[in-house]
Amino acid sequence: PFPGPLMRVLVTIIAPIYWSLAQARGAAQNGLLLTRGAFQHESLLHFATGELLRVTHRARGAGGAGALRLDSVISGSVPEGLGDAALLLQDFSERYVRTGAGQLSGSSVQSFLQDGRLLRAHCNHTIVFDPPVGPQPPRVQQLRARAIRASYDPAKQELRFQLRAWLDAGGQGKHCPLGFTPDPGQLYCMDINECLNFPPPCTFECRNLRGSYECLCPAGRAV
């Protein structure tokens, strides 16, 4: 069956759309300006309860009216009953870091309200496209989303999302954020593997994340 109620909650489903069509300010470039609507966008949603959801989109260009043609695949698992959760229609922001020629890395935190409990999920985006000719976007861009609305009509199996989004570089556009370092050519930002530091940052096992890391420990032990 069509997972409409679940998709209503997962704003991540439309990440390539709002990234492509966000209003670009200053030197910032949205996805449509940067890729002309041809790119691959993968999102990994890590829930605090352990579930992992992968959403892969392949954009095949934009139509005459600016509509994206997307092939999408959703796999993995989500917390039980998430499709019945209340969507927190709160503003959110995402940071996009240029990590190579034709490659961006994005991250954000998504929130859900389920049975009165607040659930959070960390979302990582990887975007790959043919490097454009001409001016490149700033190394770091910030996307802000406001006035988010979502609804699902089961009779029509119709999903509706509405939000306002814009991109800007702000004062961070020329500098790599914490957890990244400039590449030798000073064009991109490379992830720092904190797990290789000495002394190690974790007592037991260390897992490197883009721009960060997390400490793991055996069952029954404290970090």
Side-chain angles (χ1 to χ4, degrees):
F2 182 71
L6 178 60
M7 294 176 70
R8 172 190 62 83
V9 177
L10 297 174
V11 181
T12 303
I13 296 292
I14 64 165
I17 299 175
Y18 62 69
W19 170 73
S20 293
L21 303 178
Q23 180 185 358
R25 298 179 174 178
Q29 295 185 38
N30 63 23
L32 204 56
L33 291 173
L34 196 58
T35 71
R36 297 187 178 181
F39 59 88
Q40 181 166 310
H41 187 298
E42 181 175 275
S43 300
L44 284 176
L45 207 58
H46 297 260
F47 293 91
T49 45
E51 293 85 358
L52 175 65
L53 187 72
R54 183 188 303 271
V55 184
T56 302
H57 302 272
R58 183 176 296 276
R60 298 180 288 106
L68 286 176
R69 297 188 292 269
L70 290 172
D71 295 323
S72 305
V73 177
I74 304 173
S75 60
S77 59
V78 299
E80 185 177 356
L82 184 64
D84 299 323
L87 175 65
L88 291 182
L89 300 177
Q90 62 180 9
D91 301 343
F92 70 91
S93 62
E94 291 184 328
R95 184 186 67 191
Y96 289 85
V97 181
R98 185 151 50 98
T99 54
Q103 184 168 316
L104 299 176
S105 174
S107 62
S108 66
V109 176
Q110 301 291 327
S111 300
F112 313 91
L113 189 63
Q114 185 180 21
D115 298 329
R117 295 182 298 114
L118 184 65
L119 302 179
R120 296 189 185 277
H122 290 270
C123 185
N124 291 320
H125 305 295
T126 300
I127 305 170
V128 179
F129 52 93
D130 289 333
V133 177
Q136 299 295 302
R139 284 194 287 194
V140 182
Q141 297 187 122
Q142 196 78 15
L143 183 145
R144 293 176 173 82
R146 302 289 184 265
I148 309 162
R149 297 179 182 178
S151 63
Y152 174 65
D153 186 337
K156 297 180 180 179
Q157 291 193 343
E158 186 175 79
L159 183 70
R160 290 179 176 267
F161 275 106
Q162 179 179 329
L163 56 81
R164 297 174 56 194
W166 65 90
L167 275 166
D168 62 60
Q172 296 288 327
K174 297 181 180 179
H175 305 285
C176 294
L178 187 66
F180 292 86
T181 186
D183 76 299
Q186 301 288 311
L187 296 175
Y188 317 116
C189 296
M190 302 187 305
D191 175 59
I192 297 173
N193 189 343
E194 293 87 354
C195 296
L196 300 180
N197 290 346
F198 187 84
C202 302
T203 304
F204 299 105
E205 182 182 351
C206 178
R207 177 185 296 169
N208 185 56
L209 304 173
R210 281 179 293 185
S212 184
Y213 69 94
E214 65 179 355
C215 294
L216 308 174
C217 64
R221 302 293 294 272
V223 178

